[in-house]
Amino acid sequence: MARSPTMRVLKGLALLLLALPASRSGLAQTALTLEELNARTPRDYGSVHARQEVSIRGTVNALPFYFPEYTILTIQDGAAGAALHTPVTSTLLDDFLPGDVVEATGSVITLGGMVMVDAGRATKVRRAAGFQAATSTIEDLQQFRALGRLVRVKGRLIGRGSTTAGPFLMIGSDKNFHKIFFPVREERLYPALPAMQPGDEIEAVGVAFQYATGRPPYNRGYELLATEPPVVAPAVLGWWWSPLLVLAAILAVACAALLMGVRERRMRRQRELLRRTYQLGEEIFSTASVAQIQKRLDDALPAVLGVTRVRLYRYDRSAKQLDAVSAGPGEPVTISLSVPTDGPQAGAVACFHYRSLLAIPDVSRSPFPVAGGEGRTNPKSILFVPMIAQGEVAGVLELDQDDRVRDFSAAEQSLAQHLGNQVGVALRMLDQRSVQEQLSRTEKLAAVGRLISSIVNELQAPLASIQELAEQARERVRQAPAERELAAIEAEAQKAASMVARLVTFASSEQVEARPVAVGDLLRQLIDFREGDWRASGIRARDLVFREPLKVLGSHGQLEQVFLNLLVHAEQALADAQRKTLTIRTSVLAKRLLVEISFSAPSEWRNAEETAAVLGLTQSVVAGHGGEVRLIEKNDAEPRFEVELPLTARERPTAAEAAGPEDAARSMTALVIEPDDAVERQLVALLERSGVRAIPVNNADTALELAGRARIDVAFCSVHAPGLNWVELSERMRPRVGAFVLMPDRYDAELAADFEGENCFVLPKPIQEAELADILDFAERAPLAKVISIKDGVA
């Protein structure tokens, strides 16, 4: 009998231990009401329960909403609402209908300020009666307590637009706007929105939602996800009937008599408008530059469309920006497409991204951030027109009305779009013409090179004979009066032979193996070569080139052509200068050689097209040597060309040499495509420590071009590289390099399994030196793929 209490205690402890795992699993999820789920922090209005595993329950109030990347299902329990979230590839939420009572579990997330549950499980409990849309005001919908609820709202239409996920309307008063979004449902597209004009009364039914782009705080971005097409009530104009009604009727009859004349004059104006439009289109196609297109538009469009000002933005594919063809004082010359902006430039960016015409009748009441800050002069009305050519947006045409607010009619918008497309086609034709001219210039240069080669081959033999005969004659008549003349003949023959050899180098277009090039000796040879012409032109040259050997790895002939092109362009700039001074200077900055060619040119010296052509021709060659070339212009200093090239390693034992023969430096070249400066510096340092020549480039397009012109053993590409996406880049670059290495932000087993193979590798960040060494070992052993030239048709 004494053992009974002890046994009962032991039995209770055993039951407690068995129940402990179950209690722990129960604590893993927190049951919340929808009102508790929507609790926000007072600082940034984020979720109080962010990243918590919770379970919720509510009744479905609308069909699922499908967006390009995710699916949303909204529920409510009467006083509060919420949203369930799944990836677009999931079918978890597809079968739920309004009235279904749902229990769901998952993690609390915040998407654009909207607090949601990323559902891992969702089950239907039962059917309920569902909800009727509660009548609400715009002010009520801009509160957290309204989110997720099914509501009905009315308001005056002030604007409309469209995105890839569906169209939207903007309704509200003069000081309070609200967005009604009509998302496209999968296999259930909305019918076309009814005809409507600004000022019409719009009634819409949908779920209150929030999508605040940018950084917190998340107390903005309120919108309505419509569940059915809107009801439109046209604006009723209140007519005031004058007491002189009879007189008005008489006047109306009299005006009817003039109807045919007015109609004829209107038709005549329309015909004249069409004639001017077609004439403007013909003039645009006949222009020879973008500046001429801008001038044609400035001269004709104010009379054709009645606008005050025309702005033309041209899309720069390489820089991912819009370039203003003719920017006014204080206006930006370029507009980045990735950095948010304000003022009229924001409308141009939106028009480019959405690829659709954007009409803003009243800038002061526009929901878009097109109104500038203090000190800016803004137009009253703006029309942004995308210039589309061959299915691609070539730029944006901006039409401003400064003196009054106006609503661009449908006919005016159609006419502006037609003109915009014509400008886009004209820009594309200019680009094609430029490419054809470059090809023609290249063919002419090749022909000249072949002519020079044939001439110098004929000259080399007689010059060599003259030099040899002069030397032999001088040996025979040593100490004779004619010795000086023979020595002069020999020196001039030797100088002519050197010039012929240099012409052979210039005419040669073959790729040679990279070798150390003494840049100082090369520059002094060019100075000696051009000194006679400089003296004849009155140019005073200052030679500040280092006498010690400063070597870079590359092609002697290609570098010689680069510096000669820059020197000749500087000579041309000095043609009209009063003080003609040319300075060639070298310096060393952080293991890189800097060559400066400065010249005392007048303020009006620069020819933009010729300078751009010179920089374009030299940039590709210098970039192939791992450097860059630029033109520096300042008000208080002489303009100068700067060429920056990486120096070869000094004559000292490196870490690879100290480690032994098996770890000797590799004679390899690597491309580094990484937008993060810190990661780029780390990778370049690791590659140089391994004896690999690293060439960092800005974007994937430049890397693809270099891979087509030079020998590349391995290419390192970030998944965030600008330009071509990494999938297309890897497919087009793999035949040209020994190894292609993809660098994600972290290790991804699925990505590694899909991508790695043959000469493809995945190197996650942060980069580990051991993993990098294994890849370099493979690339060193693997045979390099045949280099395919861009001229062969590979883009």
Side-chain angles (χ1 to χ4, degrees), residues 345-588:
Q345 292 76 31
V349 173
C351 175
F352 179 86
H353 283 308
Y354 296 144
R355 300 168 60 93
S356 61
L357 186 142
L358 177 60
I360 303 178
D362 190 350
V363 170
S364 63
R365 300 166 59 186
S366 170
F368 294 97
V370 293
E374 296 182 0
R376 289 188 180 179
T377 302
N378 296 307
K380 299 294 183 63
S381 303
I382 310 179
L383 180 64
F384 296 100
V385 184
M387 300 185 298
I388 301 176
Q390 299 178 354
E392 297 183 358
V393 182
V396 176
L397 183 64
E398 177 186 342
L399 307 177
D400 297 344
Q401 185 72 44
D402 292 345
D403 52 357
R404 61 186 176 89
V405 174
R406 62 175 292 186
D407 187 5
F408 293 95
S409 65
E412 291 173 334
Q413 294 182 20
S414 299
L415 184 60
Q417 184 63 71
H418 174 70
L419 286 173
N421 293 344
Q422 286 186 316
V423 175
V425 174
L427 292 177
R428 184 60 56 86
M429 291 173 61
L430 287 178
D431 293 339
Q432 294 175 355
R433 191 183 308 166
S434 176
V435 172
Q436 292 174 356
E437 291 176 353
Q438 291 181 357
L439 291 176
S440 176
R441 190 180 301 113
T442 302
E443 294 174 355
K444 291 180 181 179
L445 289 176
V448 171
R450 290 192 294 270
L451 178 61
I452 291 175
S453 298
S454 62
I455 293 175
V456 298
N457 287 335
E458 295 294 333
L459 287 176
Q460 279 179 334
L463 286 174
S465 299
I466 293 173
Q467 185 177 358
E468 182 180 359
L469 292 174
E471 183 178 359
Q472 293 175 0
R474 191 158 61 92
E475 290 293 334
R476 295 194 189 98
V477 297
R478 187 171 298 277
Q479 302 301 329
E483 181 182 3
R484 177 180 297 180
E485 287 76 5
L486 291 174
I489 292 174
E490 181 184 3
E492 292 299 323
Q494 185 176 1
K495 184 177 180 181
S498 176
M499 294 174 61
V500 169
R502 183 175 286 107
L503 287 175
V504 172
T505 302
F506 289 167
S508 176
S509 61
E510 298 178 356
Q511 290 188 356
V512 296
E513 183 179 358
R515 299 178 181 275
V517 179
V519 177
D521 296 340
L522 186 151
L523 290 173
R524 281 189 290 274
Q525 291 173 5
L526 288 176
I527 292 173
D528 295 339
F529 176 62
R530 301 298 300 169
E531 187 176 9
D533 293 339
W534 293 344
R535 190 181 301 110
S537 302
I539 298 175
R540 178 174 170 267
R542 299 174 59 196
D543 181 4
L544 301 179
V545 179
F546 282 171
R547 299 302 170 183
E548 63 179 79
L550 299 174
K551 297 182 178 181
V552 299
L553 193 64
S555 167
H556 184 282
Q558 292 179 359
L559 291 176
E560 191 173 34
Q561 293 183 45
V562 166
F563 291 117
L564 182 60
N565 285 336
L566 297 179
L567 288 173
V568 171
H569 192 67
E571 294 174 28
Q572 296 173 352
L574 294 174
D576 299 327
Q578 295 181 355
R579 184 175 62 89
K580 300 181 180 181
T581 303
L582 181 64
T583 304
I584 301 96
R585 179 187 292 106
T586 59
S587 57
V588 177

Side-chain angles (χ1 to χ4, degrees), residues 582-600:
L582 181 64
T583 304
I584 301 96
R585 179 187 292 106
T586 59
S587 57
V588 177
L589 298 173
K591 298 182 181 181
R592 294 178 75 86
L593 174 64
L594 179 65
V595 179
E596 299 176 75
I597 302 175
S598 56
F599 45 97
S600 56

